[in-house]
């Protein structure tokens, strides 16, 4: 139905209602004026006032109510009721009653109109924000009610009465335990229920919904939970897309860093390869002697195997850093991650004439995280520290790398003795595209912060101009084992 047709129907219904009201008022006036019936005419006027309050707008209703008061007064004058004191008293009572009813009906109508406007706004807001209302009780029996928007979120027909079975049927099988816990919390009459879970639609689509509900006691003593249910699928999809974009950007920065690590990588691979060649030549000499020394030959072969394994680990680490893959969060020994990162950076620190001061004081500390991402953060901080000391010539270039365990967190400190960073710049260091380097992209520290926050940690910096800079980050511990 078009808007024009709807308007015509509303105008027609209002006209018919107005004519019906005029007819009812005329009959009341005629009955009261020409028929000698012992019926209080005020009851007819009160009925007419109530009818108009439910049918007409406020201006029309006021017109009808004032007309009723005028007709009641006119009837009193026509019948010359003013000649009898008893009739005067009755007229005053009727007039007061009719006026009072009119005022009460007007107040009720305005309140109803405000409620309807609020309901319309509320329904519109629900539809725009994909947020529906939901209520449920679990005292004597399980009962559920919800709004139209909630029905649309669950994708059920509008004329179907909701039940807990319908909720369970739409819940993702892996999240059924979450929904059951909501029902258990309601049965225990907890003060606040807040949950997020997934819905599995009949066509295979997955929705993410978030619900919050609070208890309300009704007059019967039953506890009813009333709350809101919001479809957050778009938000979760946006977060996932953002995470994948950050992962791709992190991969780009890792590949960029590989160029800076090239000399260190060549050095780390050449060392075990040179040892393999040396051990192979030694083994050959021990075997070619007039009396072969098999024991020394076996030791040479053992060294070949050890150095080959070392070279393989270095290559595997390099491949992991350069490969774009899904994040793998598992329990890792934090000091081993730091140690592997330092191994890759040995040649780079030597090239910058930097003297490492390493103290790994988090022995046995486990963190749950992605090894490659954490290595990326550590390598980035070490590179920045080495570059910060490039122009230092009046004192030793010392790189302080310390790990420790503090308040159920493992903490890494990477400090340099460079020129320091101005205090007004410090708050912007982790902002995307902010850089103090002439050829920098300004994404390194921003990605470092994203990685650390993804691991549930925090990263911060302090600096003194002319003295040096300290970068620190902390990650929650998974386990702490001193016996390993």
């Amino acid at each position: 139905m078009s808007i024009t047709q709807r308007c015509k129907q509303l105008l027609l219904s209002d006209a018919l209602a107005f004519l019906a009201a005029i007819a009812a008022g005329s009959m009341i006036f005629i009955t009261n004026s020409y028929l000698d019936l012992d019926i209080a005419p005020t009851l007819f006027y009160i009925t007419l006032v109530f009818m108009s309050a439910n049918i007409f707008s406020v201006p029309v209703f006021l017109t009808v109510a004032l007309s009723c008061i005028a007709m009641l007064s006119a009837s009193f004058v026509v019948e010359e009721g003013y000649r009898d004191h008893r009739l005067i008293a009755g007229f005053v009572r009727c007039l007061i009653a009719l006026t009072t009813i009119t005022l009460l009906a007007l107040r009720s109508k305005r309140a109803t109109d405000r409620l309807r406007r609020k309901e319309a706004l509320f329904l519109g807001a629900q539809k725009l924000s994909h947020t529906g209302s939901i209520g449920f009780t679990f005292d004597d029996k399980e009962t559920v009610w919800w709004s139209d928007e909630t029905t649309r979120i669950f994708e059920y027909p509008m004329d179907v009465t909701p039940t807990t079975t319908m909720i369970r049927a739409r819940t993702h099988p892996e999240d059924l335990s979450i929904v059951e816990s909501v029902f258990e919390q309601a049965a225990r009459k907890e003060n606040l229920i807040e949950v997020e879970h997934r819905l599995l639609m009949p066509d295979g689509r997955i929705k993410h919904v978030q619900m919050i509900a609070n208890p309300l006691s009704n007059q019967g003593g039953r506890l009813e939970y009333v709350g809101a249910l919001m479809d957050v699928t778009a938000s979760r999809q946006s977060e996932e897309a953002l995470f994948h974009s950050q992962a791709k950007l992190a991969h780009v920065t890792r590949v960029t860093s590989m160029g800076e690590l090239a000399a260190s990588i060549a050095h780390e691979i050449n060392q075990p390869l040179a040892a393999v060649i040396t051990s192979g030549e030694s083994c050959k000499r021990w075997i070619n002697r007039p009396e072969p020394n098999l024991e020394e030959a076996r030791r040479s072969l053992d060294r070949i195997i050890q150095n080959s394994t070392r070279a393989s680990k270095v290559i595997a680490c390099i491949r992991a850093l350069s490969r774009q893959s899904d994040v793998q969060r598992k329990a890792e020994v934090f000091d081993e991650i730091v140690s592997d990162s330092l191994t890759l950076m040995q040649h780079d620190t030597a090239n910058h004439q930097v003297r490492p001061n390493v103290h790994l004081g988090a022995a046995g500390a486990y963190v749950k995280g992605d090894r490659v991402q954490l290595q990326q953060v550590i390598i980035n901080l070490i590179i920045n520290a080495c570059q910060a000391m490039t122009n230092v010539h009046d004192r030793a270039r010392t790189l302080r790398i310390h790990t420790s365990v503090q308040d159920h967190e493992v903490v890494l400190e990477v400090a340099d003795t460079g020129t320091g960073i101005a205090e007004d710049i410090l708050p912007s260091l982790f902002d995307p595209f902010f850089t103090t380097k002439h050829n920098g992209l300004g994404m390194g520290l921003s990605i470092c912060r994203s990685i650390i926050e993804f691991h549930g940690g925090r990263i911060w910096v302090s600096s003194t101009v002319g003295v040096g800079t300290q970068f620190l980050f902390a990650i929650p511990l998974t386990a702490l084992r001193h016996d390993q």
Side-chain angles (χ1 to χ4, degrees), residues 408-475:
H408 304 290
E409 292 180 321
V410 61
V411 180
L412 171 69
E413 176 190 2
V414 179
D416 61 64
T417 56
T419 56
I421 302 172
E423 186 175 354
D424 59 331
I425 295 178
L426 289 177
S428 304
L429 281 181
F430 296 100
D431 293 344
F433 305 110
F434 179 86
T435 179
T436 58
K437 304 174 185 177
H438 296 294
N439 58 347
L441 295 175
M443 292 302 298
L445 290 177
S446 175
I447 292 174
C448 288
R449 181 176 64 178
S450 298
I451 292 174
I452 296 301
E453 290 178 351
F454 170 73
H455 286 78
R458 51 201 171 88
I459 185 170
W460 66 99
V461 59
S462 62
S463 182
T464 303
V465 176
V467 177
T469 303
Q470 301 82 39
F471 281 90
L472 299 97
F473 70 77
I475 299 176

Side-chain angles (χ1 to χ4, degrees), residues 21-51:
I22 292 176
S26 301
M27 291 181 64
I28 292 171
F29 182 78
I30 294 171
T31 301
N32 186 53
S33 301
Y34 298 100
L35 297 179
D36 189 15
L37 296 177
D38 189 17
I39 299 175
T42 310
L43 295 177
F44 291 102
Y45 292 124
I46 290 174
T47 303
L48 184 59
V49 167
F50 276 125
M51 287 175 56

Side-chain angles (χ1 to χ4, degrees), residues 100-149:
T100 303
I101 292 298
T102 300
L103 294 176
L104 291 176
L106 177 61
R107 181 180 178 183
S108 175
K109 182 172 181 59
R110 286 179 172 174
T112 303
D113 290 344
R114 286 195 299 267
L115 183 61
R116 286 175 180 172
R117 284 194 295 270
K118 289 181 179 179
E119 182 181 9
L121 293 172
F122 179 69
L123 293 177
Q126 282 197 347
K127 194 169 184 179
L128 285 174
S129 63
H130 300 288
T131 303
S133 302
I134 187 169
F136 47 88
T137 59
F138 289 89
D139 292 337
D140 301 330
K141 60 179 181 178
E142 296 181 357
T143 57
V144 180
W145 62 264
W146 57 35
S147 65
D148 291 346
E149 185 59 28

Side-chain angles (χ1 to χ4, degrees), residues 127-394:
K127 194 169 184 179
L128 285 174
S129 63
H130 300 288
T131 303
S133 302
I134 187 169
F136 47 88
T137 59
F138 289 89
D139 292 337
D140 301 330
K141 60 179 181 178
E142 296 181 357
T143 57
V144 180
W145 62 264
W146 57 35
S147 65
D148 291 346
E149 185 59 28
T150 304
T151 306
R152 282 189 284 268
I153 291 174
F154 279 92
E155 298 185 9
Y156 281 116
M158 290 293 181
D159 57 348
V160 174
T161 302
T163 63
T164 56
T165 303
M166 294 167 57
I167 295 176
R168 291 185 176 96
R170 281 288 191 266
T171 302
H172 195 285
E174 296 179 1
D175 292 350
L176 274 174
S177 59
I178 300 176
V179 174
E180 295 297 338
S181 69
V182 171
F183 297 152
E184 292 173 1
Q185 292 178 59
R188 293 195 301 267
K189 301 180 179 181
E190 296 190 3
N191 292 328
L192 176 66
I193 299 177
E194 188 172 4
V195 68
E196 181 175 339
H197 64 95
R198 293 170 295 172
L199 303 180
L200 181 60
M201 297 296 108
D203 58 0
R205 288 179 294 110
I206 294 178
K207 288 186 176 181
H208 295 261
V209 295
Q210 187 174 15
M211 188 201 74
I212 182 169
N214 291 285
L216 293 176
S217 297
N218 57 26
Q219 294 180 351
R222 299 181 64 189
L223 193 64
E224 180 182 25
Y225 281 86
V226 179
L229 182 112
M230 185 176 186
D231 184 353
V232 295
T233 304
S235 175
R236 295 297 173 264
Q237 289 176 345
S238 298
E239 291 177 0
E240 185 176 354
L242 177 61
F243 175 75
H244 285 303
S245 297
Q246 289 178 338
K248 290 180 180 178
L249 186 57
H251 170 249
V252 171
T253 59
R254 282 202 299 271
V255 173
T256 303
S257 299
M258 295 299 291
E260 300 182 39
L261 290 173
S264 180
I265 292 169
H267 176 75
E268 290 303 317
I269 294 178
N270 282 333
Q271 276 190 334
L273 289 180
V276 166
I277 294 172
T278 302
S279 299
E281 292 175 347
S282 298
C283 180
K284 184 178 179 180
R285 286 196 302 270
W286 291 117
I287 292 176
N288 289 335
R289 295 182 67 177
E291 293 184 6
N293 192 331
L294 298 181
E295 183 62 29
E296 290 294 339
R298 277 194 295 267
R299 290 177 182 175
S300 298
L301 289 174
D302 288 339
R303 287 193 294 271
I304 291 174
I305 295 172
Q306 290 174 358
N307 284 283
S308 299
T309 303
R310 179 185 171 190
S312 177
K313 288 182 178 180
V314 172
I315 294 172
C317 184
I318 295 168
R319 291 181 63 187
L321 281 171
S322 60
R323 183 177 64 247
Q324 180 178 348
S325 58
D326 294 334
V327 176
Q328 301 291 332
R329 295 183 65 175
K330 59 182 181 180
E332 300 278 0
V333 180
F334 186 72
D335 277 357
E336 290 183 2
I337 298 176
V338 178
S339 180
D340 289 346
S341 303
L342 288 171
T343 299
L344 286 175
M345 292 301 299
Q346 280 183 354
H347 185 77
D348 201 67
T349 55
N351 188 47
H352 283 85
Q353 299 178 353
V354 171
R355 184 178 63 192
N357 180 358
V358 182
H359 174 71
L360 302 181
Y366 281 73
V367 296
K368 188 175 182 180
D370 183 87
R371 190 183 191 92
V372 172
Q373 284 195 340
L374 293 176
Q375 282 182 333
Q376 179 181 353
V377 174
I378 297 168
I379 290 172
N380 188 279
L381 295 179
I382 293 175
I383 290 174
N384 288 347
C386 291
Q387 292 177 350
M389 293 184 283
T390 301
N391 297 324
V392 173
H393 304 288
D394 58 342

